[in-house]
Amino acid sequence: MEENRIETEVETKQYIVVNVGIEQFGIDIKYVDNIVRMQKITRVPKAQDFFRGVINLRGEIIPVMSFRRKFGLEDDTFTDKTRIIILKPEQQDSIGIIVDMVKEVLTLEEEEIEKHAQDGKDEKSKYISAVGKNNGNLISLLNINGIIQKMI
Amino acid sequence: MDVSQYLEIFIDETQEHIQTLNDQLMIMEQEPENPDAINEIFRAAHSLKGMAGTMGYKRMQHLTHMMENVLSEIRNGKVGVSAMLADVLFQCLDAIEGYLANIQESADEGTEDNEAIIRQLNNILEADGQAEKEEEAQPAKEEAPKKEPEKIIFAEFEANAIREAFEKGMNVYDIQVVVEESCILKAARAFLVFKAIEENGEVMKSIPSVQDIEDEKFDFDFRVIVISKQSIDKVISAIKNVSEVKDASGVQITSYEEEKPKAPQTAAQPKQEAAKTEMAKTESQPQKKEEKKPASGGAAKAGGSKPVVNRSVRVDIEKLDVLMNLVSELIIAKNGLVSVSNTENGVISQGFNEQIEYLERVTTNLHESVMKVRMMPIETVTQKFPRMIRDLNKKLDKKMELTITGEDTELDRTVIDEIGDPLMHLLRNSADHGLEANSVRVQRGKPEIGQIRLDAYQDGNNVVIEVKDDGNGIDVEKVKNKALISGKITQEQADGMNDKEIIDLLFQPSFSTAEVVSDVSGRGVGLDVVKTKIEALGGDIEVKTKLGEGSNFIIRLPLTLAIIQALMVELGDEKYAISLGSIETIEDVMPDEIKYVQSKEVIHLRGMVIPIIRLDSVLDIVPAEEVPESYTVVIVKKGDKLAGLVVDRLIGQQEIVIKSLGKYINNNNIIGGATILGDGEVALILDANTLL
């Protein structure tokens, strides 16, 4: 279904828009498996520092990372708006990512998406694939594979 | 004729025969005069020929037929066993394996004619002037003595059925079916006969019973009582249409003798006994006869390796995986109930607790049973090794012997499937790098023939497999130099490394100390692959070596993969599980009992000095402010090494389901996985092996 839509209407893509700090980020909806409320995270000692630990999602153990830690921002403060977005990249295990809040689902047309210039030196710029423009707001679109690949 | 449903039986039996051939050829090579070995080989080849013929695999049939001819000459003493001959026979074996591999893949034997091998076989025969002996080397078939049909006594319900048939105007026939003696899959034939009959009527009774026929517990004939509307000729011709049925004859039954209902036992007994003695007769027929009839199911199985009654069901491993997952879920649910019953205040009645305990027992037993179903003896992997060593013997021109012990040690099926290659690598390594050339061995005062051992045994919750050789051992200096030259380590690093660390370099990718790269080993793709594979199975590998005396690779594998008994401990407010299998004891240790050796904490326990590991600092947990009155120390072991883990509190023993943390989190394997506790919380599983 998803695939079809992308093929027939090449121009639009849907994104989940999340807030982290003062910025807005978009996650391609095809990677999103689930959005869950904040829950008890079991810390995993000696793991990479951007991992907050693992959660039990209906019997599955899912590692959860902090968006803020991954992007080198100020550490999370959990509120009742904090959400864990469960990403399911193709052919790979699920992974959770903590964001401050989920704002909306947004449909962007192709001309509203501007390819992001990759700055080879900055590790973090690889996490962003493009910038979306919507009603004057700028939304950084995440390169999910780029974020995950470094870990494996 | 559709034989596809017998394909699995065929594959199974072929594998068995190939194994027999393999084992016996090895014996024959060692003891060329051993008549038993030659007979066994002949039988196996003959059975293979018959089976291939039944299934319509012409090429395989031809090859085995030629083999049989040669073997027959050997058996008759006309051809002597030579090294060349053994080689050719081994080649045949490989070719048959090739056919089998094709058949397993596509149910077709492929198009390889193996002409070269057949030519060699022919040459052997011709050398003996016996080439024209084309037809069946098999001894003349015995004419099965025609038995006078015994009077059948029917049980009450059978008599009723016959009476009913008479009333309906149906015919009842007593038919004697004889299958050909060369027929291999007798049960399959019988099944086809039954099927043929069922198209024309109904099989009411058979002698021996259907069950026995399915188990091939009959000689070459059986009797069936058939109820049919058709004429007896039609039924018999239908039976005769089944291939490899030698004869079928029968009479119509018009009267019957009913078993006296009053004394059913006594009436039935003589008949049964008669059947039994008859069967006993068949089984105890003199050896000579068995030799002549290698085709008969029982005789073909070398040395009675297969139990007479084999009640088993073939199950797809995936179905077992599903079952295992369900058992896991059940255990999690049960743990949930246990934790509810523990937290709910006093309202829980005693009955509830009893039921929970009962549930606990059942789930534990269920888990154990499912695990057992998945277990297979390691023999399935090791049985191909003697042949491999034999080939290496020739290839490397080194004399060596392989001794295998503990083949009946059982492992989970998934582990069995994966462990073959690593073991093969290690054995090749021992043969190629480990053992010295024979002349060198003699110079060093060692026995000329190199010894390689493979020992498997169970050790607690682990299975240990050791691959040992009495060769040169690992030359630490040589490894160090090699690592320096190849730039794997720097001089400073090398100076700071102890022997063990240097030996561990061998497990790094593309590292080989063999001076000459042979096609046996030395490409450096060996040990690192072995290590990765074993670690993927949740195991580990270590090496013990002494220069000049040999080396020992010790592989440790978990017995089970999914569910373990664990001790739950608490550190700060975090919960961890430690596999019960690695726990030796639990001790209370006073703070002043902790001593320092080389500025490391140790305790002295029953004559042993055991290093102390402070888990809170290993796991980055903020330690408790005050020093407790006494420490709770969990003593864990790995092989012969012990260590004491300091924990805050013990929670208790629990059956836990191991879940993977996934591949994103990288924490140097201190955490072996996670488990879900009864209240839904996640607890991490400490891998004591990596802590040691």
Side-chain angles (χ1 to χ4, degrees):
Chain A
M1 282 280 289
E2 197 73 47
E3 298 297 312
N4 284 346
R5 188 158 57 228
I6 289 164
E7 267 169 30
T8 49
E9 301 171 40
V10 210
E11 314 85 39
T12 70
K13 262 186 172 178
Q14 282 190 304
Y15 289 88
I16 303 268
V17 179
V18 299
N19 286 20
V20 178
I22 49 164
E23 268 191 87
Q24 292 190 359
F25 295 90
I27 302 171
D28 191 335
I29 208 162
K30 76 172 178 188
Y31 294 117
V32 178
D33 186 51
N34 208 337
I35 298 173
V36 295
R37 286 177 170 274
M38 195 56 203
Q39 53 176 285
K40 184 174 176 349
I41 297 178
T42 306
R43 186 185 68 96
V44 179
K46 300 283 183 223
Q48 301 94 312
D49 60 357
F50 51 82
F51 273 114
R52 292 209 76 106
V54 291
I55 58 166
N56 165 17
L57 186 72
R58 286 184 287 275
E60 290 294 312
I61 303 282
I62 295 180
V64 174
M65 65 164 147
S66 159
F67 192 105
R68 284 172 167 271
R69 288 191 190 174
K70 183 80 184 172
F71 278 75
L73 305 170
E74 201 180 312
D75 208 357
D76 304 81
T77 41
F78 301 133
T79 67
D80 56 355
K81 290 209 168 83
T82 307
R83 293 289 181 274
I84 305 173
I85 303 198
I86 311 293
L87 303 173
K88 177 90 186 79
E90 286 164 44
Q91 315 278 322
Q92 283 174 42
D93 297 339
S94 297
I95 186 168
I97 187 161
I98 301 170
V99 298
D100 289 357
M101 66 173 279
V102 174
K103 194 170 168 239
E104 59 185 337
V105 178
L106 185 69
T107 307
L108 286 179
E109 285 174 24
E110 202 178 359
E111 57 257 32
E112 292 172 320
I113 299 173
E114 195 167 294
K115 280 270 174 282
H116 182 72
Q118 295 255 333
D119 180 356
K121 282 180 202 132
D122 185 9
E123 175 74 16
K124 286 174 188 82
S125 79
K126 287 187 192 133
Y127 302 155
I128 309 293
S129 62
V131 175
K133 281 175 274 188
N134 179 256
N135 297 335
N137 283 333
L138 289 183
I139 299 158
S140 306
L141 305 179
L142 295 180
N143 173 10
I144 298 298
N145 285 326
I147 292 174
I148 287 168
Q149 252 155 27
K150 275 282 157 190
M151 284 179 254
I152 306 166
Chain B
M1 184 187 57
D2 180 28
V3 287
S4 59
Q5 59 180 318
Y6 293 105
L7 197 59
E8 282 201 2
I9 304 177
F10 171 79
I11 290 171
D12 252 26
E13 300 229 323
T14 306
Q15 272 163 349
E16 228 168 79
H17 288 308
I18 288 177
Q19 193 52 47
T20 311
L21 269 181
N22 207 339
D23 296 345
Q24 300 297 332
L25 277 173
M26 303 277 290
I27 296 176
M28 185 190 83
E29 208 181 17
Q30 298 297 315
E31 313 160 29
E33 301 302 322
N34 186 336
D36 289 344
I38 294 165
N39 281 332
E40 286 290 345
I41 297 166
F42 180 80
R43 270 178 229 168
H46 180 78
S47 307
L48 283 170
K49 181 187 85 171
M51 282 166 21
T54 310
M55 302 295 288
Y57 297 129
K58 294 276 183 296
R59 292 184 180 85
M60 182 169 160
Q61 189 187 9
H62 183 59
L63 178 67
T64 41
H65 176 68
M66 290 303 297
M67 245 179 113
E68 198 189 337
N69 286 351
V70 171
L71 288 164
S72 161
E73 294 305 295
I74 300 172
R75 207 163 63 153
N76 297 335
K78 290 186 183 149
V79 173
V81 177
S82 63
M84 194 273 280
L85 182 88
D87 278 344
V88 175
L89 288 177
F90 271 119
Q91 280 174 29
C92 290
L93 188 54
D94 292 340
I96 297 171
E97 276 180 338
Y99 285 137
L100 182 64
N102 285 338
I103 291 166
Q104 267 174 316
E105 217 163 82
S106 59
D108 189 87
E109 61 177 336
T111 51
E112 176 63 52
D113 281 325
N114 286 305
E115 274 170 23
I117 299 175
I118 287 170
R119 207 173 311 123
Q120 287 192 53
L121 289 171
N122 259 325
N123 288 343
I124 293 170
L125 285 176
E126 266 161 31
D128 191 49
Q130 295 282 341
E132 65 280 9
K133 203 177 175 211
E134 241 311 307
E135 220 9 76
E136 291 293 73
Q138 176 194 8
K141 286 173 196 161
E142 277 172 70
E143 195 60 42
K146 253 221 160 99
K147 282 191 220 115
E148 227 10 73
E150 292 167 53
K151 195 97 180 150
I152 297 178
I153 299 171
F154 295 103
E156 196 184 349
F157 70 95
E158 290 163 344
N160 284 341
I162 296 176
R163 197 180 309 123
E164 220 170 272
F166 285 158
E167 279 162 15
K168 282 188 191 158
M170 311 262 268
N171 301 317
V172 181
Y173 305 120
D174 175 1
I175 298 173
Q176 184 93 11
V177 181
V178 184
V179 295
E180 274 182 29
E181 280 165 40
S182 60
C183 167
I184 301 299
L185 300 164
K186 285 191 298 178
R189 287 296 141 244
F191 176 82
L192 291 172
V193 168
F194 275 61
K195 228 173 140 187
I197 295 173
E198 269 157 18
E199 278 165 19
N200 293 294
E202 194 188 326
V203 177
M204 202 197 80
K205 183 184 171 70
S206 73
I207 298 165
S209 72
V210 177
Q211 184 62 49
D212 284 350
I213 291 178
E214 276 175 13
D215 292 343
E216 294 209 343
K217 277 198 244 155
F218 65 105
D219 206 2
F220 292 104
D221 57 329
F222 54 90
R223 275 169 86 185
V224 281
I225 306 298
V226 180
I227 299 177
S228 170
K229 280 186 193 151
Q230 311 284 357
S231 73
I232 189 158
D233 290 340
K234 181 133 194 237
V235 177
I236 284 176
S237 74
I239 295 172
K240 281 185 174 164
N241 267 342
V242 177
S243 65
E244 290 196 89
V245 168
K246 194 174 182 181
D247 195 21
S249 59
V251 288
Q252 184 162 1
I253 300 182
T254 46
S255 65
Y256 54 90
E257 199 168 316
E258 188 181 339
E259 178 184 31
K260 303 275 181 302
K262 285 269 171 184
Q265 286 299 327
T266 43
Q269 210 74 335
K271 174 67 207 138
Q272 267 176 18
E273 258 165 28
K276 257 187 218 155
T277 42
E278 198 180 305
M279 219 142 71
K281 245 187 261 160
T282 344
E283 271 165 25
S284 65
Q285 262 162 353
Q287 188 66 22
K288 223 171 144 194
K289 191 173 174 199
E290 282 206 352
E291 272 171 34
K292 281 186 196 155
K293 299 197 303 176
S296 81
K301 296 191 181 89
S305 62
K306 203 173 173 183
V308 188
V309 188
N310 195 352
R311 290 158 58 88
S312 63
V313 179
R314 209 174 290 277
V315 183
D316 193 329
I317 188 84
E318 276 171 24
K319 288 185 187 161
L320 284 180
D321 286 343
V322 172
L323 192 58
M324 193 68 185
N325 285 339
L326 290 174
V327 171
S328 306
E329 297 292 313
L330 187 61
I331 287 170
I332 291 177
K334 184 246 349 187
N335 287 346
L337 276 180
V338 173
S339 81
V340 168
S341 78
N342 286 342
T343 52
E344 224 89 336
N345 36 27
V347 239
I348 307 280
S349 68
Q350 202 193 340
F352 183 75
N353 280 330
E354 274 171 16
Q355 290 305 312
I356 293 250
E357 271 168 35
Y358 180 49
L359 180 65
E360 210 159 357
R361 265 205 315 280
V362 174
T363 49
T364 307
N365 286 341
L366 181 62
H367 163 225
E368 270 173 20
S369 316
V370 174
M371 280 318 301
K372 272 193 202 124
V373 170
R374 297 170 53 94
M375 296 295 234
M376 279 171 80
I378 195 163
E379 192 183 0
T380 43
V381 176
T382 57
Q383 59 189 7
K384 63 182 182 206
F385 292 150
R387 165 73 195 280
M388 188 186 85
I389 292 295
R390 178 222 171 247
D391 288 353
L392 288 178
N393 235 320
K394 306 228 150 176
K395 210 173 210 165
L396 301 170
D397 202 20
K398 274 185 202 175
K399 284 189 194 131
M400 56 185 108
E401 267 172 22
L402 173 67
T403 320
I404 301 179
T405 64
E407 294 121 305
D408 52 354
T409 312
E410 291 195 323
L411 272 168
D412 191 278
R413 166 72 198 261
T414 28
V415 179
I416 291 278
D417 286 348
E418 296 292 322
I419 197 67
D421 286 349
L423 288 181
M424 200 162 82
H425 267 300
L426 289 181
L427 287 172
R428 279 166 175 268
N429 238 329
S430 285
D432 198 12
H433 306 195
L435 296 178
E436 312 93 326
N438 291 132
S439 54
V440 177
R441 288 182 67 88
V442 175
Q443 269 175 25
R444 291 189 180 170
K446 286 185 181 180
E448 188 189 0
I449 298 172
Q451 296 293 332
I452 303 177
R453 292 185 62 86
L454 192 151
D455 300 311
Y457 53 91
Q458 198 174 330
D459 177 26
N461 245 358
N462 288 312
V463 165
V464 181
I465 306 171
E466 296 187 25
V467 177
K468 266 183 257 187
D469 65 67
D470 66 344
N472 194 31
I474 298 170
D475 187 337
V476 178
E477 284 307 310
K478 208 160 125 189
V479 176
K480 199 196 272 182
N481 289 335
K482 191 100 179 185
L484 282 172
I485 292 165
S486 63
K488 288 242 179 263
I489 52 169
T490 62
Q491 186 63 48
E492 293 96 78
Q493 279 176 315
D495 292 340
M497 286 168 103
N498 61 27
D499 285 4
K500 196 186 168 312
E501 284 164 334
I502 290 169
I503 289 170
D504 281 345
L505 285 174
L506 289 173
F507 291 102
Q508 291 202 356
S510 61
F511 196 99
S512 176
T513 49
E515 259 123 44
V516 189
V517 172
S518 66
D519 59 350
V520 177
S521 57
R523 284 182 211 283
V525 287
L527 286 177
D528 66 308
V529 176
V530 170
K531 190 180 163 88
T532 343
K533 200 127 199 193
I534 287 167
E535 283 178 350
L537 293 170
D540 64 56
I541 179 165
E542 92 183 280
V543 199
K544 284 185 183 162
T545 179
K546 201 154 186 200
L547 190 59
E549 285 177 26
S551 31
N552 185 5
F553 289 82
I554 304 163
I555 300 172
R556 204 169 280 280
L557 293 162
L559 200 54
T560 63
L561 290 177
I563 302 171
I564 55 165
Q565 290 285 345
L567 176 74
M568 302 300 300
V569 300
E570 219 168 353
L571 283 146
D573 57 354
E574 295 180 359
K575 287 175 186 159
Y576 290 91
I578 304 170
S579 162
L580 224 50
S582 55
I583 296 176
E584 189 77 357
T585 54
I586 298 166
E587 306 285 337
D588 271 333
V589 176
M590 293 299 153
D592 61 355
E593 286 179 71
I594 296 181
K595 306 276 191 287
Y596 289 87
V597 170
Q598 292 173 353
S599 72
K600 281 179 184 142
E601 288 182 306
V602 297
I603 50 168
H604 200 247
L605 190 73
R606 288 184 280 276
M608 281 179 298
V609 177
I610 299 172
I612 289 288
I613 297 172
R614 298 238 180 208
L615 277 185
D616 48 10
S617 67
V618 174
L619 301 174
D620 305 326
I621 295 164
V622 186
E625 301 261 309
E626 58 211 67
V627 176
E629 269 179 40
S630 74
Y631 292 112
T632 307
V633 178
V634 180
I635 310 284
V636 294
K637 65 155 190 265
K638 173 195 179 188
D640 44 15
K641 280 181 277 186
L642 293 173
L645 309 178
V646 181
V647 302
D648 288 354
R649 273 171 301 281
L650 301 176
I651 301 173
Q653 183 186 334
Q654 200 177 342
E655 193 166 48
I656 58 165
V657 178
I658 303 176
K659 302 221 171 216
S660 156
L661 283 182
K663 51 184 191 283
Y664 299 122
I665 292 187
N666 172 12
N667 61 2
N668 301 324
N669 301 327
I670 296 172
I671 305 297
T675 189
I676 296 168
L677 300 177
D679 55 5
E681 213 182 298
V682 180
L684 302 175
I685 303 165
L686 279 177
D687 185 351
N689 283 342
T690 37
L691 288 172
L692 281 170

